[in-house]
Amino acid sequence: MTHPLFLPLICIYLKLVNGFFPNHLSSLDLGKETFTHQDITEVGILRAVAAYFEENPRPESPVGKGELTGLAHITARKLFDRYYGEDASEKRFKEAIDTITSANNLVDENYLNIAKWHCQGETIRAANEQMIQLREQIIQLFEEDNPNLDYAMELCGQFLHIMQMFYSNSNWVELSGAVPYYSLGLRGRPLYGQAPPPMDTCRSCGQYGDGDCKDNLIIKGSLLTSGYRSGQDVQKPFKDPKLSQIGKCSHGGSFDDSASTSAAIGGINKDATSPSLSPHYHLHRAAVATAINHTAFFFEDKEYGLRHVLGNSNYEQLLQLKSGKSIALVLDYSGSMSDEIEAVKTKIGEIINTVSGTINEPSNYIISLFNDPLSLNKVVQFASGNETLTYLQTVAVNGGDDCPEYAMDGLLKALTLCQPDSELYAFTDASAKDPEKTTIVRTLALEKRVKIDFLLTGDCSSRKKRSYQMRIRKLDTPRSKRSTDGLDLFRSLAASTGGSVYVTNKRGISSVADMIKESVSASSVTVLKMSMEWNRSLNITFPVDSSVRQLTIKILTVGDTPSEKIYSPDGSNFTSNMTIKDLGNGIKLIKLKTPMQGLWSVARLGSNDWEIEISARSILDASVKFVQRNEITGFDYELTGRPIAGDTVTLIATLPSMNLLTTLNSLLLLNSDGLELTRHDGFERVKGREESAMFRKEFVLPGQSFRIGLIGTDNHGHQFQRFHSKQIVPVHIKLKFLPINGTLYINERLAVPFEVTNKGDAESSIDVNFKDDQGFAETPVTQTFDIGPGDSASGTFWLQAGSQEGVTTTVTVSARASSSDSGRFQYIIRRLSTSKRVVRKVDTTNPVCNITSIAGTCDLTVIDSCTCNTNRWSASAELWDEGFGLYQATSSISEDDGTFSLQNFNMSHTLEEGVITARVSSSCCNALAYINVVDMAGNSDTCLINRLTDGGVPVTNSSVTERAYIKRQCVVDTGNDKKPEKKQSRNQGGLHVGIVVGTVVGVTALIIVIVSLVVVKKRKQYSSNITARTPEMGVTHCTHVGNRT
């Protein structure tokens, strides 16, 4: 059965200007119209979600069948426009795609030399098993109450990488066309047989071979193979290319040494449209279409897709399909917090009543409760606002006025469940009892781009004295000494994540809690955020672009209510169409509806210190990330952890669509007060899909911390400005995980190796710390290294898993020079899930192919390529399997070449049901043939039939058969005086010469020789149901495929 969703994708065409390479971030010329993993993954997910939206329409905006799946040049922006309306932001959905794509790309960095991660070197069975494990891990994650979405997206990206590589690196497309191999990655589904190790699969081609590589595959029947690539853990069997023209297939291309040093020369990859990179460049679009189809199938198929397996709610969470963001509330529910909890209940009730059923409805609600002792801490999440409110009504304060509380653990539990780009609000009147967890909290918040706001009504000293008169004040740098008094620690976290600290009292908490209500918007962007000391400039200017529907100005002061004047672009004092809320405690909110485009300004009246944040309701937002060139692959990959001070890096800024803007002009680096440090003009648009709005800017990182601002021009010529409040802290330490060998099995240990590098210019003592959020980390959790400049050291930490299966732990390794402050550290994150050792019944017994009779010979002294049809041979064989049963039996003899039949064959047939009789016959034009039998577990056996003799002596040496092929070319009488011409290749539509194939016979190895003598006949047209270009016509033919393999 084939889902209708997948039919149109066979003919999909997306205009590309420039990289089955990771992405378009490379100096390589990948060829015109080349698709990358990034393109394939994005289009596949968009197609899957389009089908999902059509089947689950919103009552207020129904969509018809084909309205979304039929979109030309599909983008996330177009989907959300049609489904949610033009005011809904697709940013979180787009970032979910980017997260999956980044995990896909990072397989190249993390597993570059492991063949099974790329379906190379005939590791198709191992690759399939890896895919099965990844898919089952994803499903297992969602069997838990609070699945880790970040880990699930990472596993999706890894699965897609292997699957997509299969279509570029194997012979599947050449064998079956653009019909996806849907059995991949599904447990219990049998695989096609793979070419046995001794079997030659390619002939030499290209620069050192015979002609181009379009017809270099010599493997026949339904056998799979994949190209070998130099530098991997599975090496290509060597054959001297000077002595042999046949051998195993290489990956091929200018970066694969095996393609030029070992027969067969050339390769079969379909990575790009450039012949220098891909020997089978002509099949690139077919491989792409197949991979896009399978990507969509992985998510949306009605039987095996993640949507069906996980359920709609989990599926929406995984891909961030709701327009709203997470609302995370971290509540101190000790005895003194009753006022705060009641205020939260009230505000959540107001939010639910206001946004329920709208595009602004949060995607989920997270409630994390903390107290003392630690065992009282707990976290829950709900998709429904009403369920959240019902739960909150059951929350009651617990305990007395003891202080401090386990606040960091409460934050950590909420962050683990938070979706990216969400907001977290923490309520407490106590200091943190667990400041040692600050690093992992800060790390996780930065990785997920979660902004943390603190609403404080006291600290431990105020619980005793009840006199908490402190007001909000900007904290430029966190203290180097660990603080447990609450305010300094909370300010440090807020500052690094782009949040704020609101200080009030018990009576004012209800008003300040309005901040939560005001922040619930599906399309909120930050235009500007600054701190202004009393003696600095009194005026702030900012642009308003044509996408802005509403402005919100938030001002915090030390002292009385702030006083200000707002001026519109025409210079007038703006007072109309504006609402003002005084929240008390020096906090004011000002809203301006439908502001005009142009340059606005805010004038401060009085001499108070200000912190001002200007946000807007707009769908024109930008996601940013740092990437850096990998010297081995030549491509840019997303940086993990913090960037290195002084390094040259590239900032990638991704906006919704080129339909919304003209260009991106400038990158601003801003200090902690929001003042400009440096400006870098001249963004370059990244080559890719026609409507892709991805820009890049290369620059040298400063040594000091900074925030990012972007300035551009919208599609109406107005300037737009966007501000990213997360603090970027360049460091002089590089960290990376080394390969983890093994699985985190329950009740067992697992080694987590790492490498730390000193990127500074002097020797440094570096402390490396190890933490996880499930308590699996074994002591010691700190290792210290004295490392010289440019040098590295490695070490290992250990995890001891608990007894529960399916528990995901977030592992953080951080490193800090002993001389630096506590906030200037490097970090890396790895997620692992516990699993149970499962002993599966394994079939390792090969099926058997046994020749029982053979008749006829083909002597080279008697026949040649023009008379070979007059001599024939035949053979019989018995096939059986003592394991799971037979799956497939094929022969190299096609219907055009002869006959092949099976008696009483059925799938899963075992020896207990008797043997299968196979009969094969052909002319001496196919004097060497084979029968290949595959069982349900993928094991195989091959019968060789060699009827070739030379003067009555059997020919068993491949060099002899190759010389015979060269000498015996049949000259066809064309009826004119022209000299005989070399036969044309298949794609040129002329007559052809078949290939004589053989292998050198080893003393103890299996002898398998595949040789086809020259046959004079009309070449059969390529009929594999793929998108193929016909040079004579200069047009593209597309075929819809309606059969699932």
Side-chain angles (χ1 to χ4, degrees):
M1 180 189 74
T2 299
H3 194 288
L5 162 68
F6 307 115
L7 294 180
L9 295 182
I10 301 302
C11 299
I12 193 166
Y13 175 80
L14 299 175
K15 185 177 180 182
L16 291 172
V17 278
N18 199 18
F20 248 115
F21 286 91
N23 49 54
H24 293 281
L25 303 175
S26 173
S27 58
L28 285 174
D29 180 5
L30 302 176
K32 188 178 180 182
E33 300 179 8
T34 289
F35 287 73
T36 66
H37 280 297
Q38 181 177 353
D39 302 314
I40 293 167
T41 302
E42 181 175 3
V43 176
I45 293 176
L46 289 173
R47 291 291 180 185
V49 172
Y52 178 74
F53 279 170
E54 286 184 358
E55 294 181 15
N56 296 273
R58 292 168 55 82
E60 60 273 27
S61 57
V63 291
K65 186 175 181 181
E67 186 176 343
L68 300 179
T69 53
L71 281 172
H73 305 293
I74 190 170
T75 64
R77 179 68 255 153
K78 287 182 180 179
L79 280 182
F80 270 53
D81 269 348
R82 300 283 185 92
Y83 191 70
Y84 288 111
E86 62 181 15
D87 290 335
S89 172
E90 81 292 357
K91 181 181 178 183
R92 291 174 50 257
F93 170 46
K94 185 66 171 66
E95 288 185 341
I97 297 176
D98 290 344
T99 299
I100 293 171
T101 301
S102 180
N104 184 327
N105 284 179
L106 285 174
V107 172
D108 278 335
E109 274 209 316
N110 298 333
Y111 305 100
L112 178 64
N113 299 323
I114 303 178
K116 70 176 182 179
W117 282 91
H118 313 281
C119 268
Q120 290 175 330
E122 295 187 318
T123 58
I124 296 170
R125 286 184 63 187
N128 182 62
E129 182 59 33
Q130 186 68 53
M131 291 170 65
I132 290 172
Q133 293 177 16
L134 290 168
R135 182 176 178 273
E136 290 178 348
Q137 279 184 277
I138 297 167
I139 295 169
Q140 185 184 56
L141 284 176
F142 285 91
E143 293 174 354
E144 298 300 308
D145 292 335
N146 297 311
N148 190 306
L149 298 177
D150 307 281
Y151 192 33
M153 286 187 276
E154 178 184 335
L155 296 173
C156 285
Q158 293 175 351
F159 178 98
L160 293 177
H161 180 92
I162 302 174
M163 177 269 289
Q164 293 165 4
M165 281 297 200
F166 171 77
Y167 295 110
S168 178
N169 296 339
S170 77
N171 66 325
W172 175 263
V173 171
E174 292 85 345
L175 178 68
S176 303
V179 185
Y181 193 17
Y182 291 126
S183 291
L184 282 177
L186 298 177
R187 190 173 295 283
R189 299 293 295 270
L191 287 177
Y192 275 25
Q194 182 173 286
M199 181 181 289
D200 292 320
T201 53
C202 273
R203 67 169 175 82
S204 290
C205 61
Q207 184 177 358
Y208 302 102
D210 181 18
D212 66 30
C213 292
K214 291 182 179 179
D215 296 315
N216 63 330
L217 277 163
I218 60 176
I219 188 171
K220 291 187 177 182
S222 300
L223 285 180
L224 295 176
T225 187
S226 62
Y228 289 78
R229 186 166 188 163
S230 55
Q232 291 193 324
D233 59 340
V234 178
Q235 296 183 359
K236 179 179 178 179
F238 177 75
K239 294 184 74 173
D240 191 336
K242 296 177 182 179
L243 301 178
S244 180
Q245 287 288 302
I246 57 175
K248 288 295 187 183
C249 299
S250 285
H251 179 78
S254 53
F255 300 105
D256 178 18
D257 291 341
S258 78
S260 59
T261 58
S262 175
I265 299 299
I268 62 171
N269 91 68
K270 295 161 280 292
D271 292 347
T273 61
S274 168
S276 65
L277 297 175
S278 296
H280 283 201
Y281 65 93
H282 59 295
L283 297 178
H284 172 73
R285 292 180 63 199
V288 165
T290 317
I292 289 174
N293 261 347
H294 203 153
T295 299
F297 171 91
F298 172 69
F299 288 101
E300 186 61 16
D301 182 70
K302 300 297 177 54
E303 185 175 359
Y304 298 105
L306 291 183
R307 171 199 168 186
H308 172 80
V309 177
L310 304 181
N312 285 3
S313 179
N314 285 331
Y315 184 66
E316 290 179 354
Q317 293 286 325
L318 173 66
L319 294 180
Q320 310 285 282
L321 296 185
K322 289 187 176 180
S323 56
K325 54 192 173 185
S326 295
I327 292 295
L329 305 173
V330 181
L331 306 176
D332 176 351
Y333 75 120
S334 57
S336 59
M337 287 291 292
S338 57
D339 293 340
E340 291 86 337
I341 291 175
E342 289 304 313
V344 169
K345 292 177 182 178
T346 300
K347 295 307 169 188
I348 291 297
E350 293 175 1
I351 289 172
I352 292 168
N353 292 332
T354 302
V355 303
S356 180
T358 72
I359 62 171
N360 292 321
E361 183 175 13
S363 61
N364 68 331
Y365 300 82
I366 298 167
I367 309 295
S368 178
L369 304 176
F370 67 91
N371 207 316
D372 183 15
L374 185 62
S375 59
L376 294 176
N377 287 17
K378 49 192 167 184
V379 63
V380 293
Q381 68 171 328
F382 302 99
S384 161
N386 290 326
E387 288 180 323
T388 306
L389 194 56
T390 299
Y391 177 79
L392 279 173
Q393 299 302 332
T394 68
V395 175
V397 295
N398 185 7
D401 286 338
D402 58 317
C403 199
E405 313 292 353
Y406 286 100
M408 292 298 110
D409 182 77
L411 289 169
L412 184 58
K413 282 182 165 61
L415 283 168
T416 301
L417 301 183
C418 254
Q419 297 175 359
D421 294 297
S422 295
E423 296 190 19
L424 186 153
Y425 300 90
F427 294 77
T428 187
D429 63 355
S431 305
K433 192 172 185 177
D434 48 355
E436 69 279 358
K437 291 185 178 180
T438 303
T439 296
I440 190 171
V441 168
R442 193 192 313 269
T443 298
L444 201 55
L446 292 174
E447 189 211 24
K448 290 190 168 189
R449 304 176 298 278
V450 174
K451 184 171 71 173
I452 303 178
D453 287 332
F454 290 92
L455 290 82
L456 306 180
T457 54
D459 67 358
C460 288
S461 61
S462 68
R463 278 192 179 183
K464 299 174 182 177
K465 299 179 180 179
R466 291 298 171 199
S467 58
Y468 194 62
Q469 301 300 322
M470 304 179 72
R471 289 292 186 264
I472 182 69
R473 184 183 303 272
K474 179 68 182 174
L475 186 72
D476 291 322
T477 56
R479 289 185 179 182
S480 59
K481 182 180 178 181
R482 207 187 280 170
S483 173
T484 58
D485 65 0
L487 190 58
D488 284 344
L489 184 60
F490 297 149
R491 279 176 172 165
S492 172
L493 274 175
S496 61
T497 62
S500 300
V501 176
Y502 303 96
V503 180
T504 184
N505 51 40
K506 300 291 182 180
R507 293 186 302 275
I509 187 62
S510 181
S511 296
V512 175
D514 264 337
M515 301 301 303
I516 305 174
K517 185 178 177 182
E518 297 299 332
S519 70
V520 180
S521 172
S523 56
S524 178
V525 301
T526 303
V527 177
L528 176 147
K529 186 172 184 179
M530 294 184 68
S531 294
M532 303 169 58
E533 294 184 357
W534 66 271
N535 58 351
R536 288 185 183 171
S537 172
L538 301 179
N539 295 314
I540 297 173
T541 60
F542 59 94
V544 173
D545 59 87
S546 56
S547 71
V548 173
R549 302 287 181 264
Q550 176 180 289
L551 277 178
T552 300
I553 302 173
K554 178 177 66 178
I555 305 173
L556 293 81
T557 69
V558 177
D560 298 329
T561 300
S563 181
E564 75 295 321
K565 281 189 177 181
I566 299 174
Y567 295 96
S568 62
D570 60 10
S572 62
N573 183 12
F574 190 82
T575 57
S576 61
N577 207 18
M578 180 171 65
T579 59
I580 301 175
K581 283 187 178 182
D582 183 355
L583 303 182
N585 296 283
I587 306 170
K588 179 186 278 189
L589 283 178
I590 305 167
K591 284 186 179 181
L592 289 73
K593 292 187 178 180
T594 59
M596 70 175 69
Q597 292 83 39
L599 197 63
W600 288 68
S601 64
V602 177
R604 177 178 57 181
L605 305 180
S607 57
N608 293 332
D609 290 349
W610 270 23
E611 182 177 315
I612 181 170
E613 182 174 355
I614 301 173
S615 58
R617 184 169 295 175
S618 165
I619 60 172
L620 181 52
D621 200 358
S623 300
V624 297
K625 64 181 178 182
F626 289 105
V627 298
Q628 198 163 33
R629 184 63 45 88
N630 181 297
E631 296 178 359
I632 298 176
T633 67
F635 285 83
D636 290 349
Y637 299 90
E638 184 172 0
L639 285 177
T640 56
R642 285 172 160 167
I644 305 300
D647 269 9
T648 297
V649 298
T650 299
L651 180 86
I652 300 295
T654 304
L655 293 93
S657 171
M658 285 304 297
N659 292 334
L660 298 175
L661 71 152
T662 302
T663 189
L664 196 59
N665 304 110
S666 301
L667 164 65
L668 307 181
L669 303 188
L670 310 166
N671 70 7
S672 57
D673 287 334
L675 301 177
E676 185 176 319
L677 293 171
T678 57
R679 177 186 293 250
H680 300 278
D681 296 325
F683 271 90
E684 173 192 355
R685 186 180 172 197
V686 177
K687 297 175 181 179
R689 297 177 59 205
E690 185 175 25
E691 295 188 6
S692 171
M694 180 183 290
F695 296 84
R696 62 182 295 157
K697 181 61 186 176
E698 189 175 270
F699 67 102
V700 177
L701 281 164
Q704 66 190 104
S705 302
F706 62 90
R707 292 183 169 88
I708 291 172
L710 300 173
I711 296 176
T713 306
D714 70 16
N715 57 340
H716 294 287
H718 300 291
Q719 187 182 79
F720 69 86
Q721 178 175 300
R722 298 296 182 260
F723 177 86
H724 288 260
S725 54
K726 184 179 84 169
Q727 189 178 50
I728 310 296
V729 183
V731 295
H732 291 94
I733 298 172
K734 182 177 180 179
L735 268 176
K736 72 173 182 179
F737 286 111
L738 299 176
I740 294 177
N741 296 318
T743 301
L744 188 59
Y745 291 116
I746 59 174
N747 300 319
E748 294 187 27
R749 301 172 78 222
L750 179 69
V752 181
F754 65 89
E755 182 181 85
V756 55
T757 303
N758 178 5
K759 303 293 286 187
D761 54 9
E763 183 174 344
S764 180
S765 179
I766 298 176
D767 296 326
V768 182
N769 294 287
F770 182 61
K771 293 185 181 300
D772 79 298
D773 61 355
Q774 296 294 332
F776 293 165
E778 287 189 346
T779 56
V781 294
T782 300
Q783 297 182 31
T784 301
F785 302 88
D786 293 323
I787 308 176
D791 293 337
S792 301
S794 59
T796 300
F797 291 112
W798 288 86
L799 292 171
Q800 172 66 54
S803 58
Q804 185 177 350
E805 184 181 3
V807 175
T808 300
T809 183
T810 300
V811 174
T812 301
V813 177
S814 60
R816 181 178 66 87
S818 56
S819 58
S820 64
D821 64 65
S822 60
R824 195 166 289 274
F825 60 88
Q826 180 62 280
Y827 68 88
I828 48 176
I829 292 176
R830 185 76 179 261
R831 294 175 178 88
L832 298 166
S833 187
T834 60
S835 60
K836 188 177 182 180
R837 281 191 180 272
V838 177
V839 180
R840 301 184 186 276
K841 185 178 179 181
V842 178
D843 178 6
T844 59
T845 302
N846 288 335
V848 175
C849 179
N850 180 48
I851 295 177
T852 56
S853 67
I854 194 165
T857 60
C858 305
D859 200 298
L860 291 174
T861 62
V862 178
I863 63 172
D864 60 25
S865 57
C866 293
T867 62
C868 57
N869 268 318
T870 61
N871 295 71
R872 301 192 64 81
W873 59 266
S874 63
S876 298
E878 291 181 338
L879 317 176
W880 69 84
D881 184 62
E882 298 182 61
F884 294 166
L886 296 175
Y887 169 59
Q888 176 190 53
T890 60
S891 173
S892 59
I893 301 301
S894 67
E895 291 182 4
D896 292 338
D897 298 330
T899 64
F900 175 67
S901 64
L902 297 171
Q903 184 179 358
N904 300 325
F905 179 84
N906 58 76
M907 193 176 294
S908 303
H909 190 105
T910 64
L911 181 60
E912 295 178 355
E913 302 171 72
V915 298
I916 303 293
T917 299
R919 293 185 174 88
V920 61
S921 66
S922 185
S923 71
C924 285
C925 298
N926 300 282
L928 284 88
Y930 66 80
I931 300 172
N932 187 264
V933 59
V934 183
D935 68 15
M936 298 294 290
N939 305 306
S940 64
D941 189 25
T942 300
C943 284
L944 170 68
I945 303 166
N946 180 6
R947 306 314 299 147
L948 195 64
T949 61
D950 193 349
V953 179
V955 176
T956 58
N957 187 291
S958 62
S959 62
V960 174
T961 59
E962 288 180 26
R963 287 198 301 271
Y965 159 67
I966 294 171
K967 291 178 181 178
R968 290 172 170 79
Q969 299 229 0
C970 181
V971 179
V972 179
D973 183 3
T974 60
N976 55 42
D977 295 332
K978 291 184 179 180
K979 293 182 179 180
E981 295 179 347
K982 186 177 179 180
K983 304 303 180 287
Q984 293 177 321
S985 69
R986 169 167 54 185
N987 280 37
Q988 293 173 318
L991 300 177
H992 82 289
V993 176
I995 303 166
V996 178
V997 183
T999 62
V1000 178
V1001 178
V1003 177
T1004 58
L1006 173 66
I1007 305 173
I1008 300 179
V1009 184
I1010 308 169
V1011 177
S1012 299
L1013 291 176
V1014 180
V1015 180
V1016 181
K1017 60 183 178 181
K1018 192 77 172 179
R1019 187 71 173 183
K1020 188 178 180 182
Q1021 288 291 330
Y1022 187 52
S1023 57
S1024 300
N1025 290 332
I1026 63 171
T1027 304
R1029 184 172 297 277
T1030 306
E1032 295 87 349
M1033 302 298 295
V1035 296
T1036 298
H1037 301 280
C1038 296
T1039 303
H1040 292 283
V1041 177
N1043 297 317
R1044 174 186 295 179
T1045 300

